[in-house]
Amino acid sequence: KTVFKRKESIMIVISTREFRANQTKFLDMARNGEDVILKSRSSGSFKLIPVETEDTIVSKRDLRHYP
């Protein structure tokens, strides 16, 4: 785990292995506003961001009906 401190917050960089072992911990951290970066050797890096109530979730099936 790598921790970077920015002025406003702390950014935590974790491996995919560490994420799999501690998913609840890292999802809770993201839900609480912390920047959690998931780093994969083969796929790059991803930032965990919680879905907000204002966000729209669309299924694959529903995507066919969008222009």
Side-chain angles (χ1 to χ4, degrees):
K1 169 171 69 172
T2 306
V3 177
F4 294 96
K5 184 170 172 131
R6 296 191 298 185
K7 284 183 180 179
E8 309 85 36
S9 64
I10 294 175
M11 178 178 19
I12 297 171
V13 180
I14 57 171
S15 68
T16 53
R17 177 178 285 179
E18 188 170 1
F19 177 73
R20 285 192 305 270
N22 300 288
Q23 288 182 32
T24 301
K25 172 185 171 181
F26 296 118
L27 293 175
D28 286 344
M29 290 171 74
R31 184 181 304 112
N32 291 323
E34 294 189 50
D35 290 337
V36 179
I37 307 298
L38 185 60
K39 188 165 179 72
S40 167
R41 279 189 256 161
S42 60
S43 302
S45 297
F46 304 87
K47 183 175 181 180
L48 297 180
I49 302 171
V51 175
E52 302 291 336
T53 54
E54 309 84 42
D55 294 333
T56 302
I57 299 175
V58 179
S59 70
K60 257 184 175 177
R61 188 187 62 165
D62 292 338
L63 278 175
R64 288 182 265 163
H65 301 292
Y66 279 85

